[in-house]
Amino acid sequence: MGIEVRNLTKSYGTNRVLHDVSFDVKPGELVGLLGPSGGGKSTLLRIIAGLDSADSGEVLLDGERVDHLHARDRGIGFVFQHYALFRHMTVTDNVGFGLDVRKVPRDRRDARVSTLLELMGLAGLGPRYPGQLSGGQRQRVALARALAPGPRLLLLDEPFGAVDARVREELRRWLRRLHDEVHTTSIFVTHDQDEAFAVSDRVMIVQGGHIDQAGSPTEILDHPATEFVARFV
Ligand code: ADP
Ligand code: MG
């Protein structure tokens, strides 16, 4: 299921953070938003998620405007660095949370949770608490939790920022594998070029509230569209 972003602008006071941003993500695509810190990536994701509002512009999911919908009614799953697991709940209950909220029957909920735990290499860890997991395992639980309700769109904002380099590389492979399995349309934010190029079908370079270039990793590396992109990659 695809997403269209049309002419989004956003200012915080006199600081214009997004300048007329437009792009599409095709159904099933995994797009990486890559750019320096402060470029507007998180703001863009929060607006799409409904956690913040734009000054003008539109967000459409499957051709339908969602700007007026509350975050929880958009069918969007997210994994943000600061959107932590529930510490007092087991892995199973964390992953099942979105299904419990939607009153999904117990047997279907349990089946969905075990499929996802299996998919993420977490089989057998269901009874544990987040404090009994490694950083990499916790992030995989967070991914499974976001995917459990079958979101139309998955947003990931620097989801692997807090783990060390080796685990980070492993998580990239998990994300890619998961995406190839589930095909949820996804937008993945990172300021790490290797990470963006390793994981994404298509990369968008974001800086100063603009998208400088959108293309495959090879297109961007071989034909940078702006001076900034040439220097950045
Ligand atoms: P990125 O995720 O690319 O690092 P952000 O979207 O977080 O960029 O930030 C873009 C700009 O918006 C920065 O100048 C930042 O200081 C500003 N900004 C972000 N959130 C807020 C906020 N809630 N209030 C005021 N300024 C903000
Ligand atoms: Mg950010």
Side-chain angles (χ1 to χ4, degrees), residues 18 30-31 46-48 54 68 78-79 100 107 111 127 138 144 150-151 160 166 172-173 176 184 188 196 199 201 221:
L18 297 177
L30 196 171
V31 163
R46 284 201 308 274
I47 290 171
I48 294 170
H68 61 286
F78 31 81
V79 181
D100 294 336
D107 51 342
R138 275 200 288 271
F160 312 143
R166 188 183 52 79
R172 277 179 206 171
R173 286 197 294 274
R176 189 62 235 185
T184 305
F188 174 72
V199 166
D201 296 320
L221 287 170

Side-chain angles (χ1 to χ4, degrees), residues 87-207:
R87 295 174 47 191
H88 60 288
M89 284 189 197
T90 62
V91 167
T92 295
D93 288 344
N94 265 283
V95 176
F97 180 77
L99 302 170
D100 294 336
V101 167
R102 288 165 182 78
K103 309 220 182 312
V104 172
R106 195 76 191 183
D107 51 342
R108 266 181 48 210
R109 176 256 202 203
D110 290 346
R112 175 85 180 147
V113 170
S114 46
T115 304
L116 282 164
L117 292 183
E118 186 84 33
L119 204 58
M120 294 307 287
L122 297 165
L125 299 184
R128 291 215 195 160
Y129 287 86
Q132 301 170 304
L133 302 175
S134 70
Q137 289 170 332
R138 275 200 288 271
Q139 289 310 88
R140 281 185 270 148
V141 174
L143 268 174
R145 181 177 64 180
L147 283 169
R152 304 201 271 180
L153 175 69
L154 181 64
L155 302 176
L156 305 125
D157 193 352
E158 313 234 10
F160 312 143
V163 296
D164 67 47
R166 188 183 52 79
V167 177
R168 224 180 142 102
E169 237 174 76
E170 189 187 297
L171 284 167
R172 277 179 206 171
R173 286 197 294 274
W174 277 110
L175 174 61
R176 189 62 235 185
R177 195 182 311 169
L178 183 70
H179 187 264
D180 291 339
E181 196 82 28
V182 186
H183 303 295
T184 305
T185 310
S186 305
I187 304 178
F188 174 72
V189 166
T190 179
H191 63 269
D192 180 326
Q193 184 185 311
D194 293 337
E195 188 161 282
F197 288 173
V199 166
S200 315
D201 296 320
R202 200 153 57 92
V203 173
M204 297 197 273
I205 310 285
V206 179
Q207 62 108 8

